[in-house]
Amino acid sequence: MELTTAGHEVPFGVSAEVAGALGRTVEEVRAAEVDPVASPAVDGIATVGIWRVRGADWSAVVKVLRHVVDGGRSVWRSDEDPAHPFHWRREADAFADGLLGSLPGDLRAPTCYGVVPGPGGTLAIWMEDVAGREGSTWALPRYRLAAEHLGQVQGHLAREHLAGDPVLDRPWLSRGWLRTYVERRAARGAAEADPAEPRVWSAPLVRRLVPADRVPAFQALWADRHRLLDVVDGLPRTLCQLDFHPHNLFDVAGRTVVIDWAFAGVGALGEDLGNLVVDAVTDFHLPPSKLPELFETLVGGYADGLAAAGWSGPWPGSGEPADVRRMIAAGAAAKYGWLAPAIPAVVAEGRTTLNGRPIEESAPLWVACGDFLVELAGLALEDGR
């Protein structure tokens, strides 16, 4: 059964299962208000859109997925192969499995009310309308608490995996997501403006935005991506959300609720926080001057969470802060070494914006993150481990 919004049919329906999970009849759900929440943010991504369905005293969020057949050169293009890290229906499979509904500790995913097939091969995930304070508004102590909650979950699952539990053997979990992401970034960068070529840094605007004395370090960081990925691959395995971004985090009664599990998979301890420390700055939630403090805040919280989970195992053995620093550093430097080298590509394309803002405003943040990532890469590669 289809729903409508402002007189227009929306690309999802409601099932008896969903209505029952909401404690409503199908007719009640069909009579609810439907409002658009978000449209696809980037090309090629599997998300068709997100809607809020609202009754008098209840609400739900519906996320509609479909495979994008022609994703072009988008880094985010979906794939039809269930084994591919960017498989289009992974989030629906994740909720259907039940793992996300049984995470230990104080971090959880939204409650899922059901998955409904729709027109054109789409899938609609009906889930909890998370009511809480979004991570983009948090102060550093709340970031620390989120890191602690993440450490509780990931330390517990890493310990179970190390003990031979098949918790991470689920076929829907992505594998090798980070390496595929970086390879896609590399292919796109080489096609637009290869950062290894000195000439791409010589355009007047690039010279104004990127200090010439920083260019060799940024080139070296990008050239080291394979070594950094090897470090990440050598870390203990756990469940990762793989888009641990302030917009995807919510404080709900002191617990941390994480939305958007589209890439959920087997990753490394610390990998998710490597994502968070960079995205919090490049997406304008915290100033770059806060990078060192944010990093240490996340390290402290994650170390506490791992300890609470009883984590002990191979390197990074005890979860002491020194080991946790290297875990998070490796994840961040491996994933985001492309940031500063992307500036020449943006200029070469003739674009005047970077990440949705004027390039003169965004580029200094990316350069500052690039400088910090160079430091983190040194930490991650220390002693060749």
Side-chain angles (χ1 to χ4, degrees), residues 188-197 199-201 341-346 348-349:
R188 183 169 178 173
E192 294 170 351
D194 187 349
E197 294 288 339
R199 59 178 178 78
V200 307
W201 301 92
I343 295 173
V346 171
E349 289 178 347

Side-chain angles (χ1 to χ4, degrees), residues 29 41 55 62 81 89 92 100 119 128 172 183 212 214 247 269 284 295 329 335 368-369:
V29 178
V62 183
D81 182 357
R89 59 173 291 158
L100 297 186
E128 171 189 357
W172 58 264
E183 288 171 353
R214 301 307 302 143
H247 281 316
L269 287 178
F284 315 107
F295 180 76
K335 183 174 183 181
C369 281

